[in-house]
Amino acid sequence: MLPFYINSIKVLHVVIYIKFNTQFIYIMNYTPIPTKPMNISISVKVTTEHPTPIISNSFFVNMPNIMSQFNVSHVASQYNITNTEMTNLIKINEGYGLLCEVVLSKFVQERSKYAKISNAFFTRLEVLSICNTVQPIQSGEINNTIMYIGEDFHTFTGVIAHMIPRRSVVYTNVLPGQLRENGGMEKIISQTESKTMGLIYIDVSVPDLVYSHTYMVFLLKSLAIILSTQCKRGSLVIKTNMLIFKPILDVLYLLSGKYEHMYIVRPFVSEDAYSRFVIFTNLMTNSYSSIIDNLISSANSVNNIAPNQIINSIIDCNLSQYFIAKIEESNLIIGQKYVEKYDSLVTLIKAFAKDNRIDYTKSASIARCIAWCEKHNIPTQMIH
């Protein structure tokens, strides 16, 4: 597809929202990644050189320059937009920025026993709805056991309670700090019955858009837990950030050889510009204990390497070029959406004086939020 320009910024193609009554048609919010059964050997290698991206990161590197070209604050001042007005315009422009307002107040009160309803609730709900990730647990086809690795356990349990209302769930809650402790990984594995987890949800990602050796060690230990505890036909969700560095891609490639399906998801409702989620469904084969023991040993040894050495490879084979191409495609799609969001915000600011235009855009945003809630079985209320 030929490129074109938005506000003098080169992009590949545009996402078009089409209104049909009160329903909206979107491009998919996920990218399927090819998988095939593979038994890949784990071989952790370290280097003293800082890893370089093996997939283009030009969009992320150029993001500050792209944002400066839009110069949103300057445009807002030109049109005398107050801070309050700007906040409202951003909500409308986000597409799903009014979700919290359209959700029925009674539902919000009922769910407060878990945690406050927030964008984190909506994001996880959308992620887990992709490909009916929790349906096998709901229907009793696989174990009702779920492991959550992260720091927002209460919000997560509220999402699961909403999605699986008719079956009790047994949770294992793992804090990221536990994996940083000496023996923490082994303790988690020993306290969890082998090959029993129906769903594993890893809710930790790199805070900065750079390679993080600390995160890579965490991911390696998480991989050991996954291979030790996931049951057959189980599903896995990994929150991540930029997918451009080989060690992280190695882990995903290894997992793609063990699950039937793999998807990279950028939730429509997420307010985080960079984060996305990798979903694996239907674990086909369990790993041999010798492989897991080797992984545990490797994960522990990287904690003891010299400070100037970092992981640069996890597996002893090359990544499939088709796999890399599909990962890069998902990065480009997310980048385009981010550019288009800022372009539409500038257009909305310039049209602010035209009340009809703003009213229509807000009405469209409300209708979009209501449609999303109806899809995810959340009761709504009308707002103005």
Side-chain angles (χ1 to χ4, degrees), residues 61-109:
V61 171
N62 294 323
M63 179 54 68
N65 180 52
I66 293 173
M67 295 303 99
S68 67
Q69 291 184 51
F70 283 112
N71 203 355
V72 173
S73 59
H74 176 68
V75 175
S77 65
Q78 278 187 316
Y79 287 82
N80 299 316
I81 306 295
T82 66
N83 290 336
T84 300
E85 291 168 340
M86 191 66 194
T87 299
N88 290 332
L89 289 176
I90 290 173
K91 277 187 176 182
I92 294 170
N93 185 66
E94 285 290 339
Y96 295 92
L98 298 173
L99 264 177
C100 287
E101 297 177 37
V102 305
V103 174
L104 188 68
S105 299
K106 183 180 178 181
F107 179 86
V108 174
Q109 293 170 358

Side-chain angles (χ1 to χ4, degrees), residues 26-317:
Y26 305 96
I27 67 167
M28 294 189 301
N29 61 343
Y30 62 89
T31 301
I33 306 297
T35 64
K36 64 178 181 180
M38 295 182 291
N39 288 316
I40 299 175
S41 299
I42 296 171
S43 178
V44 179
K45 298 181 177 65
V46 297
T47 181
T48 56
E49 298 178 1
H50 196 279
T52 57
I54 65 170
I55 290 179
S56 173
N57 65 338
S58 58
F59 168 76
F60 301 98
V61 171
N62 294 323
M63 179 54 68
N65 180 52
I66 293 173
M67 295 303 99
S68 67
Q69 291 184 51
F70 283 112
N71 203 355
V72 173
S73 59
H74 176 68
V75 175
S77 65
Q78 278 187 316
Y79 287 82
N80 299 316
I81 306 295
T82 66
N83 290 336
T84 300
E85 291 168 340
M86 191 66 194
T87 299
N88 290 332
L89 289 176
I90 290 173
K91 277 187 176 182
I92 294 170
N93 185 66
E94 285 290 339
Y96 295 92
L98 298 173
L99 264 177
C100 287
E101 297 177 37
V102 305
V103 174
L104 188 68
S105 299
K106 183 180 178 181
F107 179 86
V108 174
Q109 293 170 358
E110 291 173 347
R111 293 290 141 180
S112 64
K113 64 182 179 181
Y114 298 101
K116 180 181 177 181
I117 294 292
S118 64
N119 185 258
F121 175 89
F122 300 131
T123 298
R124 294 181 183 119
L125 179 55
E126 183 174 331
V127 168
L128 290 172
S129 296
I130 301 292
C131 313
N132 296 315
T133 304
V134 299
Q135 192 278 332
I137 297 178
Q138 167 76 4
S139 63
E141 298 172 38
I142 62 173
N143 295 340
N144 62 335
T145 48
I146 296 178
M147 177 181 288
Y148 174 81
I149 303 177
E151 296 181 333
D152 197 11
F153 179 67
H154 294 296
T155 298
F156 178 77
T157 57
V159 173
I160 297 299
H162 175 70
M163 298 185 74
I164 310 178
R166 292 179 295 277
R167 191 182 185 195
S168 62
V169 173
V170 179
Y171 293 101
T172 298
N173 180 25
V174 177
L175 291 170
Q178 291 177 249
L179 294 182
R180 290 192 290 269
E181 298 173 357
N182 289 330
M185 171 183 56
E186 293 91 329
K187 184 177 180 180
I188 294 166
I189 293 173
S190 65
Q191 292 179 345
T192 306
E193 188 176 348
S194 177
K195 313 293 192 297
T196 56
M197 288 296 158
L199 171 67
I200 300 175
Y201 194 106
I202 302 177
D203 201 12
V204 179
S205 63
V206 186
D208 301 311
L209 301 179
V210 295
Y211 178 80
S212 169
H213 175 70
T214 301
Y215 174 74
M216 196 59 242
V217 173
F218 165 83
L219 192 58
L220 198 59
K221 292 183 176 182
S222 297
L223 178 61
I225 293 173
I226 293 164
L227 298 183
S228 300
T229 64
Q230 181 92 81
C231 71
K232 277 191 177 182
R233 297 195 61 202
S235 295
L236 166 68
V237 178
I238 301 176
K239 182 180 181 182
T240 185
N241 206 314
M242 288 196 303
L243 298 176
I244 58 176
F245 294 107
K246 186 178 185 302
I248 295 175
L249 295 173
D250 281 351
V251 171
L252 301 183
Y253 189 60
L254 183 149
L255 289 170
S256 75
K258 297 187 175 296
Y259 292 81
E260 184 177 3
H261 303 291
M262 174 182 176
Y263 308 90
I264 296 179
V265 179
R266 172 68 173 91
F268 289 128
V269 300
S270 177
E271 293 177 350
D272 189 335
Y274 296 107
S275 71
R276 77 285 307 268
F277 299 79
V278 185
I279 299 177
F280 297 92
T281 62
N282 194 14
L283 178 67
M284 296 181 290
T285 57
N286 290 122
S287 298
Y288 295 114
S289 58
S290 58
I291 295 175
I292 296 172
D293 291 342
N294 177 47
L295 180 56
I296 292 173
S297 175
S298 297
N300 283 325
S301 66
V302 295
N303 276 339
N304 302 318
I305 61 177
N308 63 333
Q309 291 187 321
I310 54 179
I311 299 171
N312 74 330
S313 181
I314 299 296
I315 60 178
D316 63 357
C317 67

